[in-house]
Amino acid sequence: GKAADQAKAATAVGKEKLEDVRLGKKINDLCQEIGELVVAQRRNEAPEDAAAQIDAKVAEIADIEKQMEANNVGGGSAEAAS
């Protein structure tokens, strides 16, 4: 009944939060990789495709941020609907 529905909702919220934490860690990892590439560039030690690698990582961060935003928007409306 109602308790089971509340438990399901709480589990869904918990999963969304866990997903956000996982995605946030991925963003942090990508930022660290970008930083390492930039430092290597400044020292003239970077691979030739460093700029392309940085662009790809920045694009990946943008995709993850969109996914997190969709999770937060979608999660809120799903709870309201149930």
Side-chain angles (χ1 to χ4, degrees):
K2 188 172 183 178
D5 289 343
Q6 287 176 332
K8 284 179 190 171
T11 301
V13 169
K15 283 182 183 172
E16 284 174 18
K17 286 192 166 90
L18 192 61
E19 177 75 358
D20 279 354
V21 168
R22 191 182 66 75
L23 292 172
K25 182 179 182 332
K26 179 69 175 158
I27 288 174
N28 287 341
D29 291 347
L30 288 164
C31 287
Q32 168 117 19
E33 292 169 19
I34 291 168
E36 290 169 2
L37 283 166
V38 171
V39 170
Q41 282 180 323
R42 296 292 185 264
R43 293 177 173 169
N44 294 319
E45 299 168 357
E48 285 185 26
D49 68 339
Q53 287 185 41
I54 290 169
D55 289 344
K57 291 176 192 305
V58 169
E60 192 174 345
I61 289 170
D63 288 344
I64 293 169
E65 288 171 339
K66 282 183 197 158
Q67 189 178 342
M68 289 174 77
E69 195 174 307
N71 286 351
N72 292 335
V73 169
S77 60
E79 284 174 33
S82 59

